[in-house]
Amino acid sequence: MAIREVLKMGDPRLLTPALPVADFASPELAQLIVDMHDTMRALNGAGLAAPQIGVGLQVVIFEVAANPRYPDAESVPFTVLINPVLTPLSDELEEGWEGCLSVPGMRGLVPRHTGLRYQGFDASGQPIDRSVSAFHARVVQHEVDHLHGILYPLRIRDLRNFGFTETLFPGQNLQDD
Ligand code: NI
């Protein structure tokens, strides 16, 4: 078990496109996924992308547990998604608040596709093909953006909708991605 340091906005590695995984059998990939899982759990994140711990590979993980305080937020099963390809199901966009472990303590209103299909591979190289909507779709778009060197503040349309979490949402214990 290893909790890795999460890079923060300003580090050029977060702006660098990640490379596809070529070898699904490598012990380095298995260790990377364990470290990402441990790091996400330790920081109570909803998702994490490999570039956030300084590894420039197309690997993301995400998981959203059901929380009785947020009954509208659907739970998302723990997923390892490698070499992802996203296809929006429509042109419809929806604004929603996001946070990020690489932008700690902040929150911004970000437009995302309301529904999308994502394809890729799991940790053992088996294909994944899911069509999702709402918060699940938002988390996937946020994480896959990290693989393209995009942090969510770059997608905020009106920077008046960007601020400190404790000011915007006092008293709420919100997850970051
Ligand atoms: Ni993030």
Side-chain angles (χ1 to χ4, degrees):
M1 168 162 178
I3 297 168
R4 305 272 291 265
E5 181 189 0
V6 175
L7 305 182
K8 294 192 176 68
M9 188 168 67
D11 191 304
R13 287 172 286 180
L14 291 170
L15 304 176
T16 305
L19 298 172
V21 169
D23 180 5
F24 285 87
S26 79
E28 289 82 6
L29 178 64
Q31 187 60 51
L32 170 65
I33 291 166
V34 169
D35 287 357
M36 289 175 65
H37 180 262
D38 292 346
T39 302
M40 183 179 78
R41 282 284 173 84
L43 298 174
N44 191 32
L48 191 69
Q52 292 183 274
I53 59 169
V55 177
L57 290 173
Q58 293 178 10
V59 180
V60 303
I61 62 171
F62 45 90
E63 175 181 44
V64 181
N67 185 331
R69 290 172 59 197
Y70 304 104
D72 294 339
E74 65 189 303
S75 66
V76 179
F78 178 75
T79 298
V80 177
L81 181 62
I82 298 172
N83 300 350
V85 175
L86 305 188
T87 308
L89 296 178
S90 76
D91 292 333
E92 187 184 352
L93 299 173
E94 182 178 48
E95 300 267 356
W97 290 96
E98 296 186 12
C100 181
L101 294 171
S102 294
V103 193
M106 307 293 288
R107 223 77 192 166
L109 198 58
V110 181
R112 298 289 188 187
H113 291 283
T114 53
L116 77 138
R117 177 184 185 187
Y118 63 90
Q119 295 163 283
F121 301 90
D122 70 12
S124 56
Q126 297 303 305
I128 293 175
D129 187 343
R130 294 178 183 162
S131 292
V132 301
S133 61
F135 189 64
H136 192 158
R138 177 170 297 277
V139 170
V140 172
Q141 289 169 88
H142 177 113
E143 298 311 329
V144 172
D145 260 359
H146 278 295
L147 304 181
H148 298 121
I150 297 170
L151 298 168
Y152 82 82
L154 299 174
R155 293 204 182 272
I156 298 173
R157 287 167 159 163
D158 181 346
L159 281 170
R160 286 174 290 195
N161 296 316
F162 183 47
F164 292 95
T165 308
E166 63 183 23
T167 304
L168 288 163
F169 304 102
Q172 294 190 32
N173 181 24
L174 298 170
Q175 283 190 306
D176 286 328
D177 318 310

